[in-house]
Amino acid sequence: MILILLGAPGAGKGTQAQRLQDSRGLVQLSTGDMLRAAVAAGTDVGKKAKEVMERGELVSDDIMTGIISDRLDQPDCANGVILDGFPRTEAQAEALDNMLNDKKLSLNAVIEMKTDDAVLVERVTGRYTCANCGAGYHDSFLKPAKEGVCDKCGGQEFTRRSDDNAETVTSRLKAYHAQTAPLLPYYKGKGILKQVDGMAEINEVTRQIEAELQNI
Ligand code: AP5
Ligand code: MG
Ligand code: ZN
């Protein structure tokens, strides 16, 4: 199964992708996570992406398309993937269609996580992640059972993203509305767009996504 989670910054793409990975054995392909790893490793892509990401703008379509095409060829993706953060422009969506055609794969569904912009700054600025296993948390909305200890791995170190400040989130939201939201009619036209209420509580969003996937 190839699934796209489409939504604004903080809509819950990463949170729900991690759950689908655990429940369905799909692999989460988060282009944001891949770019952050490239920045941390100081690769050529990382050097190009660092400042663009800090401004909350989009990295070039060529770089992103290349990263995803290479990743899809790796054996762990054979059971299916959740695209989290890709495609983000019409050019990326067209490139994805072409690459899936070439690889004899097809896109099963695009799930839009609908949110109001007003909640997103609080979601993003309250987010933190386990430094050991990558599990995501939130200061108010998703705390570990024991404060300071990761539920999944017991790790006690957490990180926050440098682009998770109110100013950069505002630019990321602008980029979403200008460049990514036009993908909604693109996928609606193909008859594969589903919608869930991204404003609902986290478990309820999971339930709605699972309900949409039942019919596929
Ligand atoms: P990326 O890492 O993809 O960031 P983003 O799209 O801005 O999305 P986020 O990761 O911030 O949000 P999310 O939807 O995953 O939310 P989460 O589940 O964590 O991209 C970063 C940058 O990389 C981009 O700005 C760009 O520069 C570059 N980039 C990446 N892909 C690119 C591409 N294809 N092309 C070009 N450039 C690209 O949830 C947020 C918080 O809210 C968490 O703390 C969570 O616990 C909480 N939460 C989640 N759901 C709920 C809920 N229902 N109720 C309450 N709280 C919730
Ligand atoms: Mg994310
Ligand atoms: Zn952990």
Side-chain angles (χ1 to χ4, degrees):
M1 177 181 304
I2 299 184
L3 193 67
I4 295 176
L5 292 183
L6 200 60
K13 304 179 294 292
T15 303
Q16 299 299 332
Q18 285 184 351
R19 290 179 170 209
L20 289 168
Q21 175 160 268
D22 294 344
S23 67
R24 293 187 163 248
L26 302 170
V27 174
Q28 174 191 12
L29 300 188
S30 160
T31 42
D33 287 349
M34 293 175 199
L35 290 170
R36 282 183 285 281
V39 170
T43 64
D44 286 347
V45 165
K47 284 179 193 143
K48 285 184 191 144
K50 186 170 188 286
E51 285 175 14
V52 178
M53 292 171 80
E54 276 166 8
R55 287 197 302 270
E57 293 168 8
L58 296 183
V59 175
S60 80
D61 291 330
D62 287 351
I63 290 180
M64 300 317 303
T65 306
I67 289 178
I68 285 291
S69 178
D70 290 347
R71 189 66 188 84
L72 283 173
D73 291 338
Q74 289 170 23
D76 63 321
C77 291
N79 286 335
V81 299
I82 310 145
L83 296 171
D84 161 8
F86 181 93
R88 246 173 160 100
T89 63
E90 284 180 296
Q92 289 179 21
E94 284 162 12
L96 177 65
D97 284 345
N98 292 334
M99 86 176 72
L100 292 179
N101 250 332
D102 291 347
K103 297 181 199 294
K104 308 219 175 342
L105 297 169
S106 61
L107 187 56
N108 298 89
V110 179
I111 298 188
E112 179 194 4
M113 309 187 61
K114 283 177 82 78
T115 46
D116 298 343
D117 285 2
V119 303
L120 299 176
V121 172
E122 188 187 6
R123 282 207 194 165
V124 167
T125 54
R127 167 170 50 198
Y128 60 98
T129 303
C130 173
N132 179 50
C133 76
Y137 295 98
H138 191 279
D139 292 328
S140 315
F141 307 135
L142 186 63
K143 299 180 186 177
K146 183 162 187 276
E147 203 186 319
V149 182
C150 175
D151 290 339
K152 278 201 169 168
C153 77
Q156 299 190 16
E157 267 188 58
F158 297 89
T159 56
R160 291 184 188 254
R161 280 167 47 178
S162 61
D163 62 343
D164 278 352
N165 56 76
E167 194 188 333
T168 307
V169 176
T170 307
S171 317
R172 282 157 56 196
L173 262 174
K174 272 193 198 143
Y176 175 77
H177 288 297
Q179 290 166 277
T180 309
L183 300 187
L184 297 167
Y186 178 81
Y187 288 120
K188 191 166 189 201
K190 291 176 178 285
I192 53 171
L193 183 69
K194 323 268 178 199
Q195 291 173 322
V196 299
D197 178 12
M199 300 294 286
E201 186 275 321
I202 296 177
N203 290 325
E204 169 58 16
V205 179
T206 307
R207 199 196 60 72
Q208 291 186 15
I209 293 174
E210 288 291 351
E212 290 296 345
L213 297 182
Q214 290 302 311
N215 309 320
I216 289 171

